[in-house]
Amino acid sequence: FTLNGSNCEAVFSNATLKAGTVRIGTLAGATNDLLRLSGKNLAFRAEDLNPAFGVGHHNRLVLDDGAVLTNANFSLSDSGIAGHHNTVSVSDGAELVVSSAFKCGKALAGDTDNAFVLGAGGRLTVSGNVSLSGTNSYFAVSNGVFTMLRDTSTSLDTYTVDFGMDKNYSSNNVFAVQGNHPVVRIPKTSLRFDNHSILRFDLPPNGYDDRSDPNYAPLDIQQIMNYTMDYEITGLDELQKNLQKSCDIPLIRMSYRMWDGDSAKNALKRINAKLAETNPGCSMWKQDNRKTTGGEIIFLHVKAHPGLMLIVR
């Protein structure tokens, strides 16, 4: 099954799609094509969704309305294929289940601006390594649930989530945590950032909705390996304006120690130096709560400025 035109749209809603391969935009001129898979009664049978996109651009794969898509391997682009500006979105009760590797972007010249967006009500479950390569690849958990399962073939926790590990063609890849209740549960997994890739928290205007879980932190991981990593926090100005009193917002829960080594401590200094300039009174800090939470929690201290009109950066 292939979409290879321009502005083409194929919708399977509570329907059956059986194919050896599924591709969107295999030709260079294939643009703005859409494949939508939706409905709880969707029957999807495809032997190959690796890659989902070809060399076309600005194409989309949408999963919504409770659709469940199960595939052994999944990638937006792969060996020998340099697509750009292609997007996969999963939301509204839909789930993508990947039992092996998950790839967003490929370390090739010209492979740029590809995105995976896990929207409200969407779920991504992976039993393998996750990698973002290429340039400006974008992986967002926006009020969705991202879970990585443990490697049952070994006693070691070997899975990783890699951002921009290829030094030749990977740079500025973003892992964004968005919404009032995003959930990233990969406690046996390390996040590895390289080549100026970014961990970004897009804060909601009124903070996280964690009232039902006092130990809630959006990002639950084993550790962060921050080689040339950058941190970004957006929406902080608007949040400060809406707060009635200063507070500490949990961002990350980690089972492994963070910011203990010199390089990590220097990274924290850079973060707080930037915050001191843009949002005085705000800072990131860690609390070792191993006895109660099993790890460290990284907090963002937010100083309230009620009624003060600030420009959102």
Side-chain angles (χ1 to χ4, degrees), residues 19-84:
T21 61
V22 174
R23 295 286 186 274
I24 308 171
T26 56
L27 301 178
T31 61
N32 300 308
D33 290 338
L34 167 66
L35 173 60
R36 183 186 298 273
L37 304 173
S38 65
K40 296 179 180 179
N41 295 319
L42 174 77
F44 179 82
R45 301 288 184 271
E47 298 175 3
D48 188 5
L49 200 59
N50 178 28
F53 300 98
V55 295
H57 56 90
H58 292 89
N59 298 309
R60 293 185 296 150
L61 171 62
V62 174
L63 278 66
D64 60 9
D65 194 25
V68 176
L69 193 61
T70 301
N71 205 70
N73 292 276
F74 181 89
S75 66
L76 271 77
S77 53
D78 211 335
S79 180
I81 298 174
H84 60 95

Coordinates of all heavy atoms in Angstrom, one line a residue, residues 19-84:
A19 N -1.6 -5.5 4.0 CA -0.6 -5.1 3.0 C 0.8 -5.7 3.4 O 1.0 -5.9 4.6 CB -0.5 -3.6 2.8
G20 N 1.6 -6.0 2.4 CA 2.9 -6.4 2.7 C 3.8 -5.3 3.2 O 4.5 -5.4 4.2
T21 N 3.7 -4.1 2.6 CA 4.3 -2.9 3.1 C 3.4 -1.7 3.1 O 2.4 -1.7 2.3 CB 5.6 -2.6 2.2 OG1 5.1 -2.3 0.9 CG2 6.6 -3.7 2.2
V22 N 3.6 -0.7 3.9 CA 2.9 0.5 3.9 C 3.9 1.6 3.8 O 4.8 1.7 4.6 CB 2.0 0.7 5.2 CG1 1.4 2.0 5.2 CG2 0.9 -0.4 5.2
R23 N 3.7 2.5 2.8 CA 4.7 3.6 2.6 C 3.9 4.9 2.2 O 2.9 4.8 1.5 CB 5.6 3.3 1.4 CG 6.6 2.2 1.7 CD 7.7 2.5 2.6 NE 8.6 1.4 2.7 CZ 8.5 0.4 3.5 NH1 7.5 0.3 4.3 NH2 9.4 -0.6 3.5
I24 N 4.4 6.0 2.7 CA 3.8 7.3 2.4 C 4.9 8.1 1.8 O 5.9 8.4 2.4 CB 3.2 8.0 3.6 CG1 2.3 7.1 4.4 CG2 2.5 9.3 3.3 CD1 1.9 7.6 5.8
G25 N 4.7 8.5 0.5 CA 5.7 9.4 -0.1 C 7.0 8.8 -0.5 O 8.0 9.3 -0.1
T26 N 6.9 7.7 -1.2 CA 8.2 7.1 -1.6 C 8.9 7.8 -2.7 O 10.1 7.6 -2.9 CB 7.9 5.6 -2.1 OG1 7.0 5.6 -3.2 CG2 7.4 4.8 -1.0
L27 N 8.2 8.7 -3.5 CA 8.8 9.5 -4.5 C 9.1 10.9 -4.0 O 8.4 11.4 -3.2 CB 7.9 9.5 -5.7 CG 7.5 8.2 -6.4 CD1 6.5 8.4 -7.5 CD2 8.7 7.4 -6.8
A28 N 10.1 11.5 -4.6 CA 10.5 12.8 -4.2 C 9.4 13.9 -4.3 O 9.4 14.8 -3.6 CB 11.8 13.3 -5.0
G29 N 8.5 13.7 -5.3 CA 7.5 14.7 -5.5 C 6.2 14.5 -4.7 O 5.3 15.2 -4.8
A30 N 6.2 13.4 -3.9 CA 5.0 13.1 -3.1 C 5.0 14.0 -1.9 O 5.8 13.8 -1.0 CB 5.0 11.6 -2.7
T31 N 4.0 14.9 -1.8 CA 4.0 15.8 -0.7 C 2.6 16.0 -0.2 O 1.6 15.8 -0.9 CB 4.5 17.2 -1.1 OG1 3.6 17.7 -2.2 CG2 5.9 17.2 -1.6
N32 N 2.5 16.3 1.1 CA 1.2 16.6 1.8 C 0.2 15.4 1.7 O -1.0 15.6 1.5 CB 0.5 17.8 1.2 CG 1.4 19.1 1.4 OD1 1.8 19.4 2.5 ND2 1.7 19.8 0.3
D33 N 0.7 14.2 1.7 CA -0.1 13.0 1.7 C -0.5 12.6 3.1 O 0.4 12.8 4.1 CB 0.5 11.9 1.0 CG 0.6 12.1 -0.5 OD1 -0.2 12.9 -1.0 OD2 1.5 11.5 -1.2
L34 N -1.6 12.1 3.4 CA -2.1 11.7 4.7 C -2.6 10.3 4.7 O -3.5 9.9 3.9 CB -3.2 12.6 5.2 CG -4.0 12.2 6.4 CD1 -3.1 12.2 7.6 CD2 -5.2 13.1 6.6
L35 N -2.2 9.4 5.6 CA -2.8 8.1 5.9 C -3.3 8.2 7.3 O -2.5 8.4 8.3 CB -1.7 7.0 5.8 CG -2.2 5.6 6.2 CD1 -3.4 5.2 5.4 CD2 -1.1 4.6 6.1
R36 N -4.6 8.0 7.5 CA -5.2 8.1 8.8 C -5.8 6.7 9.2 O -6.6 6.1 8.4 CB -6.4 9.1 8.9 CG -7.0 9.2 10.3 CD -8.2 10.2 10.2 NE -7.8 11.5 9.9 CZ -7.4 12.4 10.7 NH1 -7.3 12.2 12.0 NH2 -7.1 13.6 10.2
L37 N -5.4 6.2 10.3 CA -5.8 4.9 10.8 C -6.6 5.1 12.1 O -6.0 5.6 13.1 CB -4.7 3.9 11.0 CG -3.8 3.7 9.8 CD1 -2.5 2.8 10.2 CD2 -4.5 3.0 8.7
S38 N -7.9 4.8 12.1 CA -8.6 5.2 13.3 C -9.7 4.2 13.6 O -10.0 3.3 12.8 CB -9.3 6.6 13.1 OG -10.3 6.5 12.0
G39 N -10.2 4.2 14.9 CA -11.3 3.4 15.3 C -10.8 2.2 16.1 O -9.8 1.5 15.8
K40 N -11.5 1.8 17.1 CA -11.2 0.7 18.0 C -11.3 -0.7 17.2 O -10.7 -1.7 17.6 CB -12.1 0.6 19.2 CG -11.9 1.8 20.1 CD -12.8 1.8 21.3 CE -12.7 3.0 22.2 NZ -13.6 3.0 23.4
N41 N -12.0 -0.7 16.1 CA -12.2 -1.9 15.4 C -11.3 -2.0 14.1 O -11.5 -2.8 13.2 CB -13.7 -2.1 15.0 CG -14.6 -2.3 16.2 OD1 -14.2 -3.0 17.1 ND2 -15.7 -1.6 16.2
L42 N -10.3 -1.1 14.1 CA -9.4 -1.1 13.0 C -8.6 -2.5 13.0 O -8.1 -2.9 14.0 CB -8.4 0.0 13.1 CG -7.2 0.0 12.1 CD1 -7.8 0.5 10.8 CD2 -6.1 0.9 12.6
A43 N -8.5 -3.1 11.8 CA -7.7 -4.3 11.6 C -6.6 -3.9 10.7 O -6.8 -3.7 9.5 CB -8.6 -5.4 11.1
F44 N -5.4 -3.8 11.2 CA -4.2 -3.4 10.5 C -3.2 -4.6 10.4 O -2.8 -5.2 11.4 CB -3.5 -2.3 11.1 CG -2.3 -1.8 10.4 CD1 -2.4 -1.0 9.3 CD2 -1.0 -2.2 10.8 CE1 -1.2 -0.5 8.6 CE2 0.1 -1.8 10.1 CZ 0.0 -1.0 9.0
R45 N -3.0 -5.1 9.2 CA -2.1 -6.2 8.9 C -1.0 -5.8 7.9 O -1.3 -5.7 6.7 CB -2.8 -7.4 8.4 CG -3.9 -7.9 9.4 CD -3.4 -8.6 10.6 NE -4.4 -9.1 11.5 CZ -5.1 -8.4 12.4 NH1 -4.7 -7.2 12.6 NH2 -6.0 -9.0 13.1
A46 N 0.1 -5.4 8.4 CA 1.2 -5.1 7.5 C 2.5 -5.7 8.0 O 2.8 -5.6 9.2 CB 1.4 -3.5 7.4
E47 N 3.3 -6.3 7.0 CA 4.5 -6.9 7.4 C 5.6 -5.9 7.6 O 6.6 -6.2 8.3 CB 4.9 -7.9 6.3 CG 3.9 -9.1 6.2 CD 4.2 -10.0 5.0 OE1 5.3 -9.8 4.4 OE2 3.5 -10.9 4.8
D48 N 5.5 -4.7 7.0 CA 6.6 -3.8 7.0 C 6.1 -2.4 7.1 O 5.4 -1.9 6.3 CB 7.4 -4.0 5.7 CG 8.7 -3.2 5.7 OD1 9.0 -2.6 6.8 OD2 9.4 -3.2 4.7
L49 N 6.5 -1.7 8.2 CA 6.3 -0.3 8.4 C 7.6 0.3 8.8 O 7.7 1.1 9.8 CB 5.2 0.0 9.5 CG 4.5 1.3 9.5 CD1 3.8 1.6 8.1 CD2 3.5 1.4 10.6
N50 N 8.6 -0.1 8.1 CA 10.0 0.3 8.4 C 10.8 0.6 7.2 O 11.3 -0.4 6.6 CB 10.6 -0.8 9.3 CG 12.1 -0.5 9.7 OD1 12.5 0.7 9.7 ND2 12.8 -1.5 9.8
P51 N 10.8 1.8 6.6 CA 10.2 3.0 7.2 C 8.8 3.2 6.7 O 8.3 2.7 5.8 CB 11.1 4.1 6.5 CG 11.5 3.5 5.2 CD 11.6 2.0 5.4
A52 N 8.1 4.2 7.5 CA 6.8 4.6 7.1 C 6.8 5.5 5.9 O 5.9 5.6 5.1 CB 6.1 5.2 8.3
F53 N 7.9 6.4 5.8 CA 7.9 7.4 4.8 C 9.1 7.2 3.9 O 10.1 6.5 4.3 CB 8.1 8.8 5.5 CG 7.0 9.2 6.4 CD1 7.1 9.0 7.8 CD2 5.8 9.7 5.9 CE1 6.0 9.3 8.6 CE2 4.7 10.0 6.7 CZ 4.8 9.8 8.1
G54 N 9.0 7.7 2.7 CA 10.1 7.7 1.7 C 10.8 9.0 1.6 O 10.9 9.7 2.6
V55 N 11.2 9.3 0.4 CA 12.0 10.6 0.2 C 11.0 11.8 0.0 O 11.5 12.9 -0.2 CB 12.9 10.4 -1.0 CG1 14.0 9.4 -0.8 CG2 12.1 10.1 -2.3
G56 N 9.7 11.6 0.0 CA 8.8 12.7 -0.1 C 8.9 13.6 1.2 O 9.6 13.2 2.1
H57 N 8.1 14.6 1.3 CA 8.1 15.5 2.4 C 6.8 16.1 2.8 O 5.8 16.0 2.0 CB 9.1 16.6 2.2 CG 8.9 17.4 1.0 ND1 8.1 18.5 1.0 CD2 9.3 17.3 -0.3 CE1 8.1 19.1 -0.2 NE2 8.8 18.3 -1.0
H58 N 6.6 16.5 4.0 CA 5.4 17.1 4.5 C 4.2 16.1 4.4 O 3.1 16.4 4.1 CB 5.0 18.4 3.8 CG 6.0 19.5 4.1 ND1 7.1 19.7 3.4 CD2 5.9 20.4 5.1 CE1 7.8 20.8 3.9 NE2 7.1 21.2 5.0
N59 N 4.5 14.8 4.7 CA 3.5 13.8 4.7 C 3.2 13.4 6.1 O 4.0 13.6 7.0 CB 4.0 12.6 3.9 CG 4.2 12.9 2.4 OD1 3.4 13.5 1.8 ND2 5.4 12.6 1.9
R60 N 2.0 12.7 6.4 CA 1.6 12.5 7.7 C 1.0 11.1 7.8 O 0.3 10.6 7.0 CB 0.5 13.5 8.2 CG 1.1 14.9 8.3 CD 0.0 15.8 8.9 NE -1.2 15.9 8.0 CZ -2.4 16.1 8.4 NH1 -2.7 16.2 9.7 NH2 -3.4 16.2 7.5
L61 N 1.3 10.5 9.0 CA 0.6 9.2 9.4 C -0.1 9.6 10.7 O 0.5 10.0 11.7 CB 1.6 8.1 9.6 CG 1.0 6.8 10.3 CD1 0.0 6.2 9.4 CD2 2.2 5.8 10.5
V62 N -1.4 9.4 10.8 CA -2.2 9.7 12.0 C -2.9 8.5 12.5 O -3.6 7.8 11.8 CB -3.3 10.8 11.6 CG1 -4.2 11.1 12.8 CG2 -2.6 12.1 11.2
L63 N -2.8 8.3 13.8 CA -3.5 7.2 14.5 C -4.4 7.9 15.6 O -3.9 8.7 16.4 CB -2.5 6.3 15.2 CG -1.9 5.1 14.5 CD1 -1.0 5.7 13.4 CD2 -1.2 4.2 15.4
D64 N -5.7 7.6 15.5 CA -6.6 8.3 16.5 C -7.8 7.4 16.7 O -7.9 6.3 16.2 CB -6.9 9.7 16.1 CG -7.6 9.8 14.8 OD1 -8.0 8.7 14.2 OD2 -7.8 10.9 14.3
D65 N -8.7 7.9 17.6 CA -10.0 7.3 17.9 C -9.8 5.8 18.3 O -10.6 4.9 17.8 CB -10.9 7.4 16.6 CG -12.3 7.0 16.9 OD1 -12.7 7.2 18.1 OD2 -13.1 6.6 16.0
G66 N -8.9 5.5 19.1 CA -8.7 4.2 19.7 C -8.1 3.1 18.8 O -8.0 2.0 19.2
A67 N -7.5 3.5 17.7 CA -6.8 2.6 16.9 C -5.6 2.0 17.6 O -4.8 2.7 18.2 CB -6.4 3.2 15.5
V68 N -5.3 0.7 17.4 CA -4.1 0.1 17.9 C -3.3 -0.4 16.7 O -3.8 -1.2 15.9 CB -4.4 -1.0 18.9 CG1 -3.2 -1.7 19.4 CG2 -5.2 -0.5 20.1
L69 N -2.0 0.0 16.7 CA -1.1 -0.4 15.6 C 0.1 -1.2 16.2 O 0.8 -0.6 17.0 CB -0.6 0.8 14.8 CG 0.0 0.6 13.5 CD1 -0.9 -0.1 12.5 CD2 0.5 1.9 12.9
T70 N 0.2 -2.4 15.8 CA 1.3 -3.3 16.3 C 2.2 -3.6 15.2 O 1.8 -4.1 14.2 CB 0.7 -4.6 17.0 OG1 -0.2 -4.2 18.0 CG2 1.8 -5.4 17.6
N71 N 3.5 -3.4 15.5 CA 4.5 -3.6 14.4 C 5.8 -4.0 15.1 O 6.2 -3.4 16.1 CB 4.7 -2.4 13.5 CG 5.2 -2.8 12.2 OD1 4.5 -3.4 11.4 ND2 6.4 -2.4 11.9
A72 N 6.6 -4.9 14.5 CA 7.9 -5.4 15.1 C 8.9 -4.2 15.1 O 9.5 -4.0 16.1 CB 8.4 -6.6 14.3
N73 N 9.0 -3.5 14.0 CA 9.9 -2.4 13.9 C 9.2 -1.2 13.4 O 8.3 -1.4 12.6 CB 11.1 -2.7 13.0 CG 12.0 -3.8 13.6 OD1 12.9 -3.5 14.3 ND2 11.8 -5.0 13.1
F74 N 9.6 0.0 13.8 CA 9.0 1.2 13.3 C 10.0 2.3 13.1 O 10.8 2.5 14.0 CB 7.9 1.7 14.2 CG 7.2 2.9 13.7 CD1 6.1 2.8 12.9 CD2 7.6 4.2 14.0 CE1 5.4 3.9 12.4 CE2 7.0 5.3 13.5 CZ 5.9 5.2 12.7
S75 N 10.0 2.9 11.9 CA 10.9 4.1 11.7 C 10.2 5.0 10.8 O 9.5 4.6 9.9 CB 12.2 3.6 11.2 OG 12.1 3.1 9.9
L76 N 10.5 6.3 11.0 CA 10.0 7.3 10.0 C 10.8 7.3 8.8 O 10.2 7.4 7.7 CB 10.1 8.7 10.7 CG 8.8 9.1 11.5 CD1 8.8 8.5 12.8 CD2 8.8 10.7 11.6
S77 N 12.1 7.1 8.9 CA 12.9 7.0 7.7 C 14.1 6.0 8.0 O 14.4 5.9 9.2 CB 13.5 8.3 7.2 OG 14.1 9.0 8.3
D78 N 14.7 5.4 7.0 CA 15.7 4.4 7.3 C 16.7 4.4 6.2 O 16.9 5.3 5.5 CB 15.0 3.0 7.4 CG 15.7 2.1 8.4 OD1 16.9 2.3 8.6 OD2 15.1 1.2 9.0
S79 N 17.5 3.3 6.2 CA 18.7 3.2 5.4 C 18.5 3.7 4.0 O 17.7 3.2 3.3 CB 19.2 1.8 5.4 OG 20.4 1.7 4.7
G80 N 19.3 4.6 3.6 CA 19.3 5.1 2.2 C 18.2 6.1 1.9 O 18.1 6.5 0.7
I81 N 17.3 6.4 2.8 CA 16.2 7.3 2.6 C 16.3 8.5 3.5 O 16.4 8.4 4.7 CB 14.9 6.5 2.9 CG1 14.7 5.3 2.0 CG2 13.7 7.5 2.8 CD1 13.5 4.5 2.3
A82 N 16.3 9.7 2.8 CA 16.4 10.9 3.6 C 15.1 11.7 3.4 O 15.1 12.6 2.5 CB 17.6 11.7 3.1
G83 N 14.1 11.4 4.1 CA 12.9 12.2 4.1 C 13.0 13.4 5.0 O 13.8 13.5 5.9
H84 N 12.0 14.4 4.8 CA 12.1 15.5 5.7 C 10.7 16.1 5.9 O 9.8 16.0 5.1 CB 13.0 16.6 5.2 CG 12.7 17.1 3.8 ND1 11.9 18.3 3.6 CD2 13.0 16.7 2.6 CE1 11.8 18.5 2.3 NE2 12.4 17.6 1.7

